[in-house]
Amino acid sequence: MEHSHPQGPTPQETVFSVPAMTCRHCVRAISAQVRDVEGVIALEADTTTRTIRVQGAADPDAVCSAIAATGYEASVVTRSPLEQESTGGHLS
């Protein structure tokens, strides 16, 4: 499911720590929940660092709640505005 670019809040890149995310099953379960959060444009999970990088205007508390719904604890590590260039809209 793709989410359209939200009107209003500036898109952010937020990194969440998910200490118990250790395998592909964890990633699939968490990703399915997080993709349904309003404002999520893209996400990337990394089991090595046990983090999830979310791009979009989603409320970090809503993302943490979605992760909690799968049985995992999460916390925000960093949050910063997305850099968008006028040529191609590259996300950094």
Side-chain angles (χ1 to χ4, degrees):
M1 169 189 275
E2 290 189 15
H3 294 275
S4 62
H5 194 71
Q7 299 293 330
T10 303
Q12 303 280 315
E13 179 172 87
T14 307
V15 178
F16 298 86
S17 172
V18 187
M21 184 180 69
T22 59
C23 67
R24 287 209 228 138
H25 170 75
C26 301
V27 169
R28 280 192 305 270
I30 293 168
S31 296
Q33 284 292 115
V34 172
R35 280 190 184 101
D36 287 341
V37 174
E38 183 177 342
V40 171
I41 296 170
L43 70 90
E44 177 182 319
D46 185 337
T47 56
T48 303
T49 60
R50 297 181 185 180
T51 58
I52 294 181
R53 184 176 311 270
V54 176
Q55 295 177 343
D59 177 4
D61 290 336
V63 174
C64 284
S65 292
I67 293 169
T70 64
Y72 298 89
E73 290 185 29
S75 60
V76 175
V77 176
T78 61
R79 183 164 169 85
S80 58
L82 279 176
E83 300 285 330
Q84 292 188 347
E85 299 174 5
S86 59
T87 56
H90 180 264
L91 301 177
S92 334

